[in-house]
Amino acid sequence: VQVFENRFDILVTKNKKVHLYNSFTYATPQDFIYYILFVAEQLDLNPEEFPLHLYGKIQKEDALYAIAYTYIRNLKITEANTNNIWKENLSESFLHTHHLLFPAI
């Protein structure tokens, strides 16, 4: 999940294949977790098990992190280059045939 001021992008991968990519706007921490849990439910992901990587405009002290941790156990804030994160989670063939555009944080 790449967090911005009032929206976030979510990318769900499995075996380096994209299962879902979407953007959501949020006004409150409750909106933020609602969309994440909705996506998890739709993809039959267990919040106790799946890893959730957060990056962008988020810190451990933020209300967004606190509410996410209430429902999702395997949270990690990643302070890495976003291009590297996407490359780690997508297959080389996908990266060579698709162009993903990401706004600057």
Side-chain angles (χ1 to χ4, degrees):
V1 173
Q2 183 174 9
V3 181
F4 300 94
E5 181 107 13
N6 293 311
R7 78 172 181 87
F8 66 93
D9 298 337
I10 188 167
L11 171 71
V12 180
T13 63
K14 183 176 181 181
N15 298 324
K16 296 195 173 239
K17 294 186 181 196
V18 174
H19 281 258
L20 177 129
Y21 176 83
N22 208 342
S23 292
F24 298 95
T25 58
Y26 67 92
T28 67
Q30 292 76 17
D31 296 340
F32 178 77
I33 194 62
Y34 170 83
Y35 291 119
I36 292 172
L37 291 175
F38 178 77
V39 166
E41 178 184 33
Q42 295 303 304
L43 297 178
D44 199 27
L45 300 172
N46 183 345
E48 296 287 327
E49 297 175 0
F50 71 84
L52 179 61
H53 297 268
L54 302 168
Y55 54 97
K57 196 172 180 92
I58 190 164
Q59 298 177 351
K60 281 192 175 184
E61 300 80 25
D62 294 344
L64 296 179
Y65 183 89
I67 199 163
Y69 188 75
T70 301
Y71 297 95
I72 300 166
R73 292 292 159 236
N74 194 0
L75 277 183
K76 180 179 181 182
I77 292 182
T78 304
E79 301 285 337
N81 180 320
T82 56
N83 289 330
N84 291 337
I85 294 166
W86 296 94
K87 287 179 185 178
E88 288 172 11
N89 290 294
L90 298 172
S91 69
E92 284 299 315
S93 62
F94 181 88
L95 290 169
H96 289 293
T97 58
H98 296 79
H99 300 282
L100 299 175
L101 303 175
F102 303 101
I105 295 175

